[in-house]
Amino acid sequence: MTELCKVSDLNEGSSLGFLSHKGPVFAVKRDDVIYVYKNECPHLGINLEFQEDQFLDMDGALIQCSTHGALFEIETGNCLSGPCQGDSLTPIEYKIENNAIVVI
Ligand code: FES
């Protein structure tokens, strides 16, 4: 298991990247729900972000791959547009323990 951060460290509408025992992952909080995905674009299998902790598009509405601009739904990880359309991010199982986000 890997503790990523405290729940309160992840602000509403923002994202944070981490290294876990399952490899690089990132967490997004939207409408008070936390989503954790593997930090790997289904297009080329590379990390999604260009700038540290920046996994969302300008509006914070979708997850965006910085390399070719693929857009993913935050709630499902499904790619809505871009070269991997129809593919999806890999969800990572986590639990909340002592107010921390912990990858299982
Ligand atoms: S590597 Fe992510 S869209 Fe091409």
Side-chain angles (χ1 to χ4, degrees):
M1 295 198 291
T2 307
E3 178 175 324
L4 302 183
C5 66
K6 296 294 178 194
V7 171
S8 56
D9 293 337
L10 182 60
N11 294 324
E12 173 64 30
S14 73
S15 57
L16 290 173
F18 305 94
L19 195 55
S20 79
H21 69 287
K22 294 197 169 165
V25 300
F26 67 100
V28 180
K29 191 189 277 178
R30 165 120 149 207
D31 295 334
D32 249 354
V33 182
I34 294 166
Y35 304 90
V36 181
Y37 292 104
K38 197 169 179 180
N39 182 3
E40 185 179 276
C41 181
H43 181 214
L44 295 182
I46 57 177
N47 290 0
L48 293 151
E49 86 282 30
F50 172 64
Q51 282 187 306
E52 202 180 337
D53 297 326
Q54 302 298 313
F55 292 88
L56 301 179
D57 66 357
M58 296 270 281
D59 306 333
L62 296 165
I63 295 163
Q64 182 167 38
C65 177
S66 59
T67 304
H68 304 113
L71 293 167
F72 305 86
E73 200 170 44
I74 292 173
E75 292 81 1
T76 63
N78 290 339
C79 180
L80 302 177
S81 74
C84 45
Q85 190 171 353
D87 234 324
S88 38
L89 298 170
T90 305
I92 295 288
E93 272 194 276
Y94 73 90
K95 63 180 178 179
I96 303 296
E97 197 172 71
N98 301 325
N99 289 318
I101 306 168
V102 178
V103 169
I104 301 168

